[in-house]
Amino acid sequence: MSTTDRTDAKAAVFELVTGVWAACAVAATARLGIPDQIASGVCTTEGLAKAVGADAGGLARLLRAAAALGVLTRDAAGRFGLTPLGECLRSDVPGSQRALIASELDSAHWSSLGRLDEAVRTGKPVFDRLFSMPIWDYYRDARPDEGKLFAENMTAQSDLETRAILAAYSFAGAERVVDVGGAHGSFLAAVLRQVPSARGVLFDRRLMIDEARSALTGFGVADRVECVAGDFFESVPAGGDVYLLKHILHDWNDEECIRLLRRVAAAMSPQARVVVAEMMIVEGGPADQEPAEGATATRWAERASPAVLQDLNMLVMLSGKERTQEEYAALFGQAGLRMSGVFPTDSPIFVLEARRR
Ligand SMILES: C[S@@+](CC[C@H](N)C(=O)[O-])C[C@H]1O[C@@H](n2cnc3c(N)ncnc32)[C@H](O)[C@@H]1O
């Protein structure tokens, strides 16, 4: 290894650390509602500090960082504006990504990810031990504000993924689409918009369902969706011809997934299909390949598929994991289903379709 390679490698470590600081700065900017204030015309440090109830000195430092990161613009007179990145951190724009960054760096995720090494040692999620309850109970009982933000986070991620999924997989012919663990229903709404004759059932825990009704009105499909609250380990609504499971199976271990898939298999009509949307671990992907000669400090974002990083998020937060195609096929098999298709999308998401055996 040459001296230049070694310097590059050290610089790459520091770049990873600055990435964490940068993500925190953007999350704080979003959480404080700075983009909303700027959009409403408040654009000086003093004005923003007053509007969001912040210390002007501390805020000046955050705004400087946010401008350096390309979230805000700053003119010669010190007035702030929004870049396209800042625009999508407003809370009131279609496809807002504010909740994605605010929720993924909330205290639940942040404290758990900080103990990733502990989860690796024990093989168990650290969240439950740290907070003395599973994440879904925490969102319902301890921090419903973070629970609401998490649901909005799901909507934000769906907004990123939906176009790629709908371009790769056809829901044509669907009549009754059951979205199992559908949160506020943004993906279900997109499917219903693609198939105007279809009706939907949004199924999730009580907290989500209570908040989903107004979200569905905003998505323009409230009159075509029945909202049902329940526990998918007990039962799921019967009679659907499509059962959506988007980012559900990766939350749970194999035993739990099989239990849940059996509930779905029992509820579905004989011709129905299960449509799973997840990131998938692809063996032989970029993370498994040797870096090109001389590329010691290959940038992580070019090298690691989001699936292998999301897998670590699952490791600290929940009992689940990201899986390979073979692992999904095995889960389907044990629930009386067979994998009937795999559809890559122009995103890290794969659609896996299953039918009754
Ligand atoms: C990772 S989110 C995925 C949300 C949505 N499918 C999406 O992709 O945007 C998991 C969802 O499962 C729901 N959930 C968790 N445990 C559940 C249970 N036992 N019964 C029903 N829903 C549950 C959560 O409330 C949450 O909305």
Side-chain angles (χ1 to χ4, degrees):
M1 192 189 268
S2 72
T3 314
T4 318
D5 287 343
R6 261 196 298 272
T7 310
D8 278 357
K10 290 175 189 169
V13 175
F14 191 64
E15 195 184 331
L16 286 169
V17 175
T18 53
V20 176
W21 295 336
C24 288
V26 179
T29 305
R31 215 176 278 131
L32 284 165
I34 301 295
D36 286 346
Q37 292 297 336
I38 293 177
S40 74
V42 185
C43 58
T44 62
T45 303
E46 294 68 28
L48 286 165
K50 200 162 165 221
V52 304
D55 171 71
L59 185 64
R61 293 158 70 181
L62 178 66
L63 296 174
R64 177 173 61 195
L69 289 166
V71 175
L72 306 180
T73 59
R74 183 166 53 174
D75 68 16
R79 284 185 303 254
F80 291 94
L82 295 174
T83 65
L85 206 167
E87 274 291 335
C88 79
L89 296 174
R90 287 172 59 182
S91 59
D92 57 350
V93 287
S96 166
Q97 296 298 307
R98 173 184 180 272
L100 170 61
I101 193 147
S103 169
E104 292 296 336
L105 272 78
D106 66 13
S107 56
H109 288 83
W110 183 250
S111 356
S112 305
L113 279 165
R115 292 175 183 236
L116 173 58
D117 47 348
E118 205 174 301
V120 171
R121 273 199 201 97
T122 62
K124 295 203 173 77
V126 281
F127 180 88
D128 300 37
R129 204 184 52 70
L130 277 180
F131 292 88
S132 308
M133 65 183 96
I135 180 73
W136 307 118
D137 293 355
Y138 169 88
Y139 280 152
R140 184 192 56 204
D141 303 330
R143 293 295 302 267
D145 56 325
E146 288 192 4
K148 184 165 185 296
L149 195 62
F150 178 77
E152 290 165 8
N153 172 8
M154 293 298 101
T155 298
Q157 289 194 41
S158 280
D159 191 79
L160 277 177
E161 300 160 351
T162 295
R163 199 176 326 155
I165 294 175
L166 294 184
Y169 184 81
S170 171
F171 287 92
E175 290 176 1
R176 182 174 151 90
V177 182
V178 183
D179 194 354
V180 179
H184 284 178
S186 72
F187 183 61
L188 175 63
V191 172
L192 295 183
R193 283 195 297 268
Q194 199 192 47
V195 190
S197 56
R199 301 191 66 80
V201 180
L202 182 66
F203 180 70
D204 207 297
R205 289 160 60 109
R206 166 64 55 202
L207 174 72
M208 287 286 178
I209 290 300
D210 285 348
E211 288 165 354
R213 290 175 217 276
S214 65
L216 288 166
T217 303
F219 301 144
V221 294
D223 56 338
R224 291 159 64 200
V225 178
E226 181 191 342
C227 291
V228 181
D231 177 353
F232 51 44
F233 291 113
E234 301 289 323
S235 66
V236 302
D241 61 342
V242 176
Y243 282 81
L244 301 177
L245 290 162
K246 183 159 94 58
H247 297 315
I248 298 299
L249 296 181
H250 79 156
D251 288 347
W252 305 99
N253 66 28
D254 287 359
E255 195 184 294
E256 291 160 334
C257 285
I258 293 163
R259 192 150 31 110
L260 162 51
L261 285 169
R262 284 187 179 148
R263 298 287 180 240
V264 173
M268 64 200 263
S269 55
Q271 275 73 43
R273 47 191 161 143
V274 181
V275 178
V276 169
E278 294 284 6
M279 290 183 192
M280 206 165 67
I281 303 285
V282 180
E283 306 290 4
D288 294 330
Q289 285 158 20
E290 287 295 309
E293 200 176 337
T296 319
T298 309
R299 297 199 62 230
W300 67 269
E302 289 153 21
R303 197 161 150 64
S305 140
V308 299
L309 300 177
Q310 175 75 297
D311 183 50
L312 300 179
N313 194 16
M314 295 302 116
L315 180 60
V316 294
M317 299 298 290
L318 290 149
S319 61
K321 60 177 185 175
E322 303 305 321
R323 294 180 170 86
T324 62
Q325 182 174 326
E326 291 69 29
E327 288 172 323
Y328 279 112
L331 292 181
F332 290 142
Q334 294 204 56
L337 300 165
R338 65 178 167 85
M339 191 179 270
S340 47
V342 178
F343 304 81
T345 72
D346 189 18
S347 79
I349 307 292
F350 284 72
V351 176
L352 304 136
E353 187 197 71
R355 293 176 187 266
R356 273 216 197 141
R357 265 208 304 255

